[in-house]
Amino acid sequence: MKILDINERMVATMAGVAGDCQFWCRVVSQYCNLFELREKKEITVSAASKYFANQLYAYRNRGLSIGSMVCGYDSRGPAIFQISDDGTRLNLQVCSIGSGSLHAYGVLDTHYKLKMTDEEALKLGRRAIMLATFRDSGSGGYCNGKTRFPPIDVNQLYYEFADEYKRDIGYQPPNDE
């Protein structure tokens, strides 16, 4: 499970050392809960990601290995923030984290549109995850999310997308004959 709940409206993804990611995501989750109890209003995704980045900045150069994405929605709408272990925080429209992210970005950069239906977005996400896990052995092997869909074996997705394209979607070296 590379997606960790922060609260009902936010999740964080984890890449890097699992223990580091899980610990700091729990710290952020506790902060968000305390903020909402104290202030009697929902914390924004921006504020939660800022707290996360500030905590990691305070521990920079101490050997943490965290790459995370804080995603969610609030009164301002949906938001995605990329957080790295040196405290860097970026507000993005599309984001992929981890060792397989370059493969995922190839799909996201090609097929992402600003206006997408839920079904189109879900299919794009599955395709990006499938290619990331197919090309990178450290990327896991199941698609999951905040809306808990049944886990889908990425191998199954590979054949589904290969059928759609009517060809093997893996790398095919050119025939030099």
Side-chain angles (χ1 to χ4, degrees):
M1 298 291 287
K2 295 192 177 226
I3 299 175
L4 306 171
D5 292 332
I6 292 177
N7 63 23
E8 310 82 45
R9 301 173 335 280
M10 279 184 262
V11 296
T13 62
M14 65 178 201
V17 175
D20 289 349
C21 296
Q22 290 172 342
F23 174 80
W24 287 106
C25 285
R26 277 197 309 269
V27 168
V28 172
S29 178
Q30 290 171 351
Y31 173 80
C32 292
N33 289 335
L34 289 172
F35 176 91
E36 291 179 357
L37 288 171
R38 183 177 52 243
E39 302 298 325
K40 299 194 182 359
K41 65 178 185 177
E42 295 179 343
I43 190 167
T44 63
V45 179
S46 178
S49 67
K50 184 67 170 178
Y51 177 78
F52 196 177
N54 287 344
Q55 291 301 305
L56 294 180
Y57 181 78
Y59 285 88
R60 73 190 179 286
N61 300 326
R62 295 199 184 168
L64 292 177
S65 178
I66 299 173
S68 189
M69 175 175 27
V70 176
C71 311
Y73 62 92
D74 54 35
S75 58
R76 300 176 186 172
I80 300 173
F81 289 89
Q82 179 183 342
I83 313 292
S84 63
D85 52 19
D86 64 354
T88 304
R89 175 179 163 262
L90 301 170
N91 186 4
L92 302 170
Q93 290 289 318
V94 176
C95 187
S96 179
I97 300 289
S99 58
S101 65
L102 293 177
H103 306 294
Y105 271 126
V107 173
L108 295 171
D109 288 343
T110 304
H111 298 288
Y112 174 77
K113 298 178 288 192
L114 195 55
K115 299 287 185 183
M116 298 176 78
T117 66
D118 288 346
E119 185 58 36
E120 289 173 326
L122 186 59
K123 187 174 183 179
L124 177 61
R126 285 181 174 170
R127 181 171 284 149
I129 291 169
M130 185 276 302
L131 281 174
T133 58
F134 180 74
R135 298 284 187 193
D136 179 71
S137 62
S139 292
Y142 286 92
C143 298
N144 58 21
K146 180 69 174 168
T147 303
R148 300 292 181 207
F149 297 103
I152 299 171
D153 186 350
V154 173
N155 193 37
Q156 181 182 3
L157 285 177
Y158 174 86
Y159 290 109
E160 180 182 314
F161 292 129
D163 287 343
E164 181 181 319
Y165 285 114
K166 306 286 190 251
R167 66 178 176 84
D168 183 8
I169 58 175
Y171 174 71
Q172 297 293 323
N175 188 354
D176 292 335
E177 291 180 33

